[in-house]
Amino acid sequence: MRICRVTTLSNSMRIAVEAEGQCYLTDEDSLTAVLSALEVDPEATRTLLVEATHGRPLATWSDLEEGIASEAQLLAPLDEQEVWASGVTYERSMQAREDESQGSGIYDRVYVAPRPELFFKAGATRVVGTNDVLYIRSDASWSVPEPELALAIGPRGTILGYTIGNDVSSRDIEGENPLYLPQAKVYARCCGLGPAITLAASDLNAHDLPIALTITRGGVPVFRGETSTNRIRRTFEDLARYLFRDNLFPNGVVLLTGTGIVPPDNFTLGPRDSVEIMIPHIGRLRHRIERGPGDHGAA
Ligand code: DO4
Ligand code: MG
């Protein structure tokens, strides 16, 4: 079962439930409330969500995911949650970052260290849902998408479900000096999230899911890459445990788990590229890329 946030024709924001290819509205408008309830009383909350699927469907899931449902549009599946990210959890990310930082050694070390790299990525104002526009920085010359499985975690630290994140990054800025990481990672429209949260279930093994990335330019694929979550060096539970150490997330949190796909060094994203990330059982996250407006509007 998936839960998502939608905006309907009457412009109201609601939580919806996907089951068997159809999407149904609930009476709830707060994702924070649903995540907290799922953590405190999973059975009763799931029962309530299932009840919503006894009504009339809002739209088919495929039309919503495609962005062509006339009745509603998908929004990013978060409201009051912050998005945090894990770094250097796959060998491919470690290698690419060692290369771009001229063998700094810091990525080698964090890859094998007991403590993971965790960093703040975005609040809701910097996150965009599927079928929307993501920015690359106007002052970067080398930008890449980072397709990542994302964990939806409740206020008490329980992994409640999974979604897809795009941790767009500026490789030249991060590579010049690792202290520039927040600028390489955190800016307007820097994080894609969605299309929905697939609720954790005993028959879903999140540690063995393929992740596929396709980048299209002028309708032609210019990069395709694949990995599997079984190549991650850490467990999701361990990442969540470190994130919650001495830290409070009263509304829950979304944690990106790191990228295992890095395009070749001669590749950079450009305006109007289309970036699509697919993870079976979770969905498809798709964005158009545009360059950020620079210091336009800054005081
Ligand atoms: O170390 C910098 C960030 C790493 C990252 O975002 C990733 O590995 O996905
Ligand atoms: Mg990343």
Side-chain angles (χ1 to χ4, degrees), residues 85-89 93 97 117 119 121 145-148 165-169 174 185 256-260:
S86 324
V88 199
T89 49
S93 175
R97 292 189 146 87
E117 179 198 1
F119 58 93
K121 174 68 180 174
E146 293 195 356
E148 308 190 10
N166 187 344
D167 171 26
V168 186
S169 302
E174 183 188 332
K185 294 281 190 183
L256 312 184
T257 57
T259 189

Side-chain angles (χ1 to χ4, degrees), residues 32-104:
T32 301
V34 175
L35 290 179
S36 302
L38 272 168
E39 192 170 46
V40 173
D41 194 345
E43 266 185 41
T45 312
R46 278 171 186 264
T47 304
L48 279 177
L49 293 172
V50 168
E51 270 169 20
T53 70
H54 298 153
R56 202 164 59 85
L58 168 71
T60 66
W61 174 253
S62 64
D63 280 2
L64 270 175
E65 200 177 41
E66 199 59 40
I68 56 169
S70 52
E71 303 83 356
Q73 280 187 339
L74 286 169
L75 300 169
L78 90 169
D79 44 27
E80 296 168 277
Q81 296 71 39
E82 294 173 347
V83 178
W84 285 65
S86 324
V88 199
T89 49
Y90 290 79
E91 193 179 9
R92 177 73 186 107
S93 175
M94 181 271 285
Q95 282 165 346
R97 292 189 146 87
E98 274 302 316
D99 291 350
E100 82 198 5
S101 65
Q102 286 92 44
S104 66

